[in-house]
Amino acid sequence: DAGVTQSPTHLIKTRGQQVTLRCSPKSGHDTVSWYQQALGQGPQFIFQYYEEEERQRGNFPDRFSGHQFPNYSSELNVNALLLGDSALYLCASSLKAGGPLFFGPGTRLTVL
Amino acid sequence: GESVGLHLPTLSVQEGDNSIINCAYSNSASDYFIWYKQESGKGPQFIIDIRSNMDKRQGQRVTVLLNKTVKHLSLQIAATQPGDSAVYFCAESLTGTASKLTFGTGTRLQVTL
């Protein structure tokens, strides 16, 4: 049974560019949440997708957007990248919006 | 692998001893709490959870204690093993579920032989 998978594992971008990160949830899960983890800190909630709609959102600007597809996979898009966007981006899936979270290994984004 | 945290508080424990990791949570209205373990290069892994109507919950080798009066959470690991070495995070929720978690800053547990 495959767990949560994310791609790519590492990514380097320059300021002002746009990036798309991808996540496939654990088999049987229908809800995807995204978290940002800066070095030395705990993860911070970005948003949650369920039934292809954004259901909850954390304190992140509109530059951060997402999408959920009919197969429950999800994308996180970040526009106009800033140096401060450098972080580990974690995807977590669950069965329905309140179920236990299973995290993926993350995508390490470096903005130069 | 990925370095989870370079400047985190560190707890050093000898193999076989018990570990106690503490967490001060931020919101007195939080009603659900979770402890996660994060190893280098991996995402957080669920350890144990507790709801606000409880003050203690036990799992396999782990116990979580909740003191709502002082907004304090602790994780006790019995007979600590080298495989327990990781960064541990507490997380809180206002929704009674794992939706929209607020994580603490984490504690690095180092198990010495």
Side-chain angles (χ1 to χ4, degrees):
Chain A
D1 176 22
V4 179
T5 59
Q6 294 185 242
S7 64
T9 53
H10 294 82
L11 200 53
I12 299 175
K13 292 286 188 178
T14 57
R15 279 181 300 175
Q17 285 189 312
Q18 179 266 343
V19 68
T20 298
L21 311 181
R22 294 175 176 83
C23 171
S24 290
K26 180 178 168 66
S27 177
H29 284 183
D30 57 8
T31 302
V32 172
S33 300
W34 287 92
Y35 285 78
Q36 180 195 66
Q37 186 176 24
L39 202 59
Q41 298 183 20
Q44 281 193 290
F45 176 77
I46 303 175
F47 43 53
Q48 179 190 70
Y49 276 83
Y50 173 65
E51 292 185 333
E52 302 179 48
E53 290 189 12
E54 184 182 296
R55 298 292 177 170
Q56 295 194 81
R57 189 177 182 92
N59 188 26
F60 280 80
D62 291 345
R63 297 188 297 110
F64 289 76
S65 63
H67 189 78
Q68 186 179 34
F69 299 93
N71 67 353
Y72 308 119
S73 67
S74 176
E75 289 181 349
L76 164 66
N77 301 292
V78 187
N79 294 323
L81 284 167
L82 304 174
L83 296 179
D85 294 332
S86 294
L88 181 68
Y89 287 86
L90 294 162
C91 171
S93 73
S94 60
L95 178 59
K96 299 191 179 171
L101 286 183
F102 289 78
F103 282 86
T107 293
R108 169 63 66 184
L109 172 64
T110 301
V111 182
L112 302 176
Chain B
E2 291 289 344
S3 176
V4 171
L6 299 179
H7 305 292
L8 293 169
T10 299
L11 175 66
S12 189
V13 175
Q14 207 159 20
E15 181 181 7
D17 287 350
N18 296 334
S19 303
I20 300 176
I21 301 171
N22 296 304
C23 172
Y25 63 91
S26 60
N27 195 325
S28 57
S30 292
D31 57 5
Y32 180 54
F33 306 87
I34 310 172
W35 279 100
Y36 284 93
K37 171 186 180 183
Q38 189 172 22
E39 297 173 282
S40 188
K42 297 183 179 180
Q45 177 187 359
F46 173 90
I47 302 172
I48 191 168
D49 60 359
I50 189 168
R51 301 197 179 278
S52 59
N53 61 352
M54 303 171 69
D55 52 21
K56 180 179 180 179
R57 189 162 189 227
Q58 289 184 291
Q60 189 174 18
R61 272 201 317 120
V62 294
T63 301
V64 55
L65 298 178
L66 174 63
N67 185 332
K68 294 182 288 294
T69 303
V70 294
K71 293 191 292 183
H72 184 267
L73 201 63
S74 68
L75 176 69
Q76 300 177 0
I77 305 174
T80 311
Q81 303 168 358
D84 295 326
S85 294
V87 177
Y88 289 80
F89 294 99
C90 67
E92 60 187 289
S93 169
L94 292 167
T95 66
T97 70
S99 286
K100 201 173 182 180
L101 294 175
T102 299
F103 281 78
T105 53
T107 297
R108 179 183 302 282
L109 177 64
Q110 288 182 338
V111 182
T112 58
L113 302 178

